[in-house]
Amino acid sequence: MIKQLYIKNFTLIDTLDMTFLPGFSVITGETGAGKSIILGAISLLLGQRADTKAIKSGAERCVIEAHFDLSRYQMESFFNDHDIEYDATDCILRRELTASGKSRAFINDTPVQLTLMRQLGQQLVDIHSQHKNLLLQEEDFQLHVVDIIADDHQLLEVYQQLYQDYLTAKKAVKEMQETMKRANESEDFMRFQLTELNEAQLREGLQEELEQESETLCHAEEIKSALYNTDRFLTHDDGGIIEQMKEASRTLTAIQGVYPDIKEAAARLDSCYIELKDIADEVSSRAEDFDFNPQRMEEINTALDTIYSLEKKHHVETVEELLAIRDQLRQELDRIDHSEEEMSRLYEEEKLLRGKCEQTAAKLTKLREKAARTIEKEMLKRLVPLGIPHVRFEILREDKPLSADGSDRISFLFSANTNTPLQPVSEVASGGEVARVMLSLKAMISGAVKLPTIIFDEIDTGVSGKIAEMMAKIMQEMGAADRQVISITHLPQIAARGTTHYKVYKEETPQGTTSRMLMLNPEERVQEIAQMLSGSDISEAAISNAKELLKQS
């Protein structure tokens, strides 16, 4: 619950440092005094988006900070999960806004994303303002109330995971259908392309080999002549290089005995003779075997033309890329050949998951129907003392197609009179009746949710007198159950019920109009409630009535 609230340079507030206590507290003040400003500041701490216009005129920076006591609410796991220091007795939330438009959020002095602050804020404070009465028009809110009382969150989580798996399976079926449709439309062309690529007998390096062989055959005459002349230079009987080298090697070998220094040179010359003779044999053999083959040349040109044509057709530049396309076509055609089996498998998976969803949704329905009966009884107990003696409140459950929250459509039906048929509460209840319905719902679910702090912003709209006193009693009881309940009110009957009473007022200063907040002492409470009873001119009767209200409370 909130222990302390500090606000600096926020709209009309220059500095506010206020302590809050457990139990039921009330905040009063004239219209426009700044109660909504304080709510706005708290909303920023709960993760609401900021507007630089909220910074006090002339200030460069706005700071809002609150200290919370979480010792009774077992929230340590949230802080551990997000690597934030945990102090159960002093959790600090802080927002900082600058005139330049920058906004920063902190939890226990650790910078955090606004979404994380919002996630924590939802577990700390519930602000119920007048516009939230419109929630009674929303099916999601009504279902959420039923789920809280049903305490079905674990089963709902199981269902939601199954439902997501079902949607994934359903999507896979649809995608497979579209794939099969596209594949069937292009299957013949794909098979034609694969046949072309297979008939080309492609392999890695083939294009380079054929291009090299083509180049060789194009220079066949030149190559033949070069081989023949080289062979003649090396082996010609009349002064060929081989014969001359052989003679030179023999001459040096002959003098090794008398001139040892020439032994190494003789050996090297003999090696050169052997190597040169080996070269001569290879050149002679190639000269004898090499010949221009027009048939082979035609085969090469045909093969290269096929490769070039395929590369142009498929917009690639290498045989390796054509091989990749061939393999892809094989895979796609293989999928087509086995698509019926795959489709059958996906259908079965979708059917299985849908069945599990339906079974789990049916369990949710059973829990919700039981909770709905509990809510109906509880709401009657709460609404009759709130001045609706002939109230009827029923929860209508109808089947709906499987969705993220199950297969139940929930409607809260209401009638304030015996002769008025039950209709959706948002359509037939008056403003005061809606306020009482919402308060009753909040009182009922607050215990189940274990929310530390609940703030009611003028939930008493449209009621007065005895009914207001009964509403105050309900809030007082809520505040007594290890919870902090704060009510912003204009009604003295509610203000008198608060354990702690705060007043918001405006003050004129040399710097302009400023909103202030004060915790009232007993004497000040009497004056404030008397003013709420009689207006600015406080009479002795009003003071007496105020004292009586406080005494009764």
Side-chain angles (χ1 to χ4, degrees), residues 497-543:
R497 282 277 177 179
T499 305
T500 311
H501 190 154
Y502 302 89
K503 179 179 180 179
V504 179
Y505 61 98
K506 283 183 180 178
E507 183 176 79
E508 294 299 326
T509 69
Q511 292 75 35
T513 303
T514 298
S515 285
R516 305 285 192 200
M517 186 173 183
L518 176 68
M519 182 187 294
L520 302 181
N521 61 35
E523 292 76 16
E524 290 168 335
R525 288 195 73 183
V526 171
Q527 291 294 318
E528 175 68 9
I529 294 173
Q531 185 173 351
M532 296 173 73
L533 286 166
S534 65
S536 56
D537 295 327
I538 302 177
S539 64
E540 287 299 324
I543 292 177

Side-chain angles (χ1 to χ4, degrees), residues 55-72:
I55 300 175
K56 187 175 177 64
S57 178
E60 291 296 321
R61 184 166 168 264
C62 163
V63 177
I64 303 167
E65 180 176 291
H67 294 247
F68 292 83
D69 182 353
L70 310 180
S71 55
R72 299 180 180 179

Side-chain angles (χ1 to χ4, degrees), residues 110-166:
T110 300
V112 296
Q113 294 290 328
L114 192 58
T115 52
L116 185 62
M117 176 171 271
R118 187 179 301 121
Q119 187 178 342
L120 177 59
Q122 289 172 348
Q123 301 178 55
L124 296 179
V125 181
D126 175 30
I127 298 178
H128 183 88
S129 55
Q130 290 186 54
H131 77 272
K132 283 201 172 180
N133 288 337
L134 298 175
L135 288 172
L136 282 175
Q137 300 177 10
E138 299 180 8
E139 178 188 335
D140 289 347
F141 171 76
Q142 298 178 31
L143 180 60
H144 180 59
V145 170
V146 172
D147 282 334
I148 289 174
I149 301 304
D151 191 20
D152 60 11
H153 62 278
Q154 290 184 339
L155 183 61
L156 185 58
E157 286 179 3
V158 171
Y159 170 81
Q160 288 172 337
Q161 184 58 59
L162 284 171
Y163 184 70
Q164 287 303 314
D165 294 342
Y166 165 63

